[in-house]
Amino acid sequence: MIALTRRTVTGLEIVFWLALAASYVVFPGKLVLITQILIAGLFAVGLDIALGYAGILTVGHAAFFGIGAYGAGLLAKHGWGEPFSGLLLAAVVCLAIGYLLSYLIVRGADLTRLMITIGVCVLFGELANRLSDITGGADGLQGIEMWPVLGQFRFDMYGKTGFVYAFVIVLLIFLAVRLMLRSPFGMVLRGIHDNRRRMLAIGSPVDARLRLAYAFSAAIAGIAGALLAQTTQFVGLEMLSFNRSAEVLIILVLGGTGRLYGGLIGALLYMTVHDLFSDFDPKFWMFWLGIFLIAVVMLGRGGVLGGLSRVVAIKDER
């Protein structure tokens, strides 16, 4: 087993983010794809708070992703295209809806949570389809015009502004999530995930903490959806679809649940392989993608980071 110091791990983290930032120069023709990777990674990080850290089984998180996208999109369509306002609206709305829904989800067992989250996702998707006068229905929400970021940087067709904007937002939210998970609140979530009965025995308000975790998870998913709506200036029904929920779950499992970088690594790997296979075999690319996912699961339990944790250990510096 390879032992790394915490200082070395911190250095690797800095290299990881610098490499992402360097994509702006190294892969100028792939900025749109890399922006979508960042957004998918943020979505997966949000899901990881609920699933990986709090242990709340959910497969309907696309509901919040879509709500955030429609919220930011409708705000821009009706005359207020300031980007940060759209993110704030998405976060607040999804936080509120997530907290209200948590009273149904947290109290149930895993199978109950599974069914409720699927039902919520389907419900919001059908609602968006029926309210076609507002959402655009199957044709999607069109006419979204975003204002320049900070009044200076316009969203361009090459994705340069969109990439920088998404990168900064994803980095800031990731750091905030990191801080939260290292706080006493994050330690409580880990304790609940590992042994719920023991946490109840020491007097921890388990259900209240799980409700907050689910609400925070929903808010981050909403911000990710708003980012996608703003950078593409389009919102479609597929953002609320069950397929979107399944995809982000695959991304998270691929990277590793309950691990800080699992969502980001999973998004980077999944969407890169997705793009390569679709270019390699446009007709049967899903066949190759399926083989790849099965191979990863068979070779490494706990995703990519789970496999790495079995060969790399972090030692305390004295």
Side-chain angles (χ1 to χ4, degrees), residues 11-132:
L12 291 174
E13 291 184 71
I14 294 173
V15 170
F16 173 80
W17 288 103
L18 288 177
L20 282 178
S23 301
Y24 184 86
V25 177
V26 179
F27 303 107
K30 293 287 187 178
L31 291 181
V32 174
L33 173 62
I34 299 170
T35 301
Q36 293 186 6
I37 290 173
L38 286 169
I39 293 170
L42 180 62
F43 186 15
V45 168
L47 175 62
D48 201 23
I49 294 174
L51 180 62
Y53 287 92
I56 301 173
L57 183 60
T58 170
V59 289
H61 244 50
F64 304 113
F65 186 85
I67 290 171
Y70 274 108
L74 287 169
L75 186 67
K77 182 179 180 179
H78 292 288
W80 188 261
E82 201 283 313
F84 298 110
S85 300
L87 297 182
L88 180 61
L89 175 67
V92 171
V93 171
C94 290
L95 181 74
I97 294 175
Y99 189 74
L100 291 175
L101 288 174
S102 70
Y103 280 89
L104 286 175
I105 294 169
V106 166
R107 65 188 299 176
D110 284 346
L111 184 58
T112 303
R113 292 171 182 174
L114 188 71
M115 297 304 295
I116 291 175
T117 54
I118 291 174
V120 166
C121 186
V122 173
L123 177 65
F124 278 111
E126 185 58 28
L127 186 63
N129 190 27
R130 285 181 174 272
L131 298 176
S132 57

Side-chain angles (χ1 to χ4, degrees), residues 159-206:
K160 294 181 178 180
T161 299
F163 169 79
V164 176
Y165 173 62
F167 177 83
V168 172
I169 296 299
V170 170
L171 176 58
L172 291 176
I173 294 178
F174 180 84
L175 292 175
V177 170
R178 181 196 189 111
L179 185 63
M180 180 190 74
L181 293 176
R182 291 184 174 182
S183 70
F185 175 75
M187 295 299 103
V188 169
L189 290 184
R190 291 176 184 271
I192 294 171
H193 183 272
D194 293 339
N195 197 319
R196 180 189 178 104
R197 291 183 178 179
R198 182 173 295 175
M199 295 302 293
L200 285 169
I202 65 175
S204 177
V206 170

Side-chain angles (χ1 to χ4, degrees), residues 3 13 18 20 32 35 58 80 84 108 133 144 171 184 201 218-219 222-223 232 251 274 276-277 286 295-296 306 308:
E13 291 184 71
L18 288 177
L20 282 178
V32 174
T35 301
T58 170
W80 188 261
F84 298 110
D133 291 341
I144 299 173
L171 176 58
I223 292 173
T232 61
I251 286 172
H274 183 297
L276 291 174
F277 284 152
M286 290 190 70
V296 171
L308 285 176

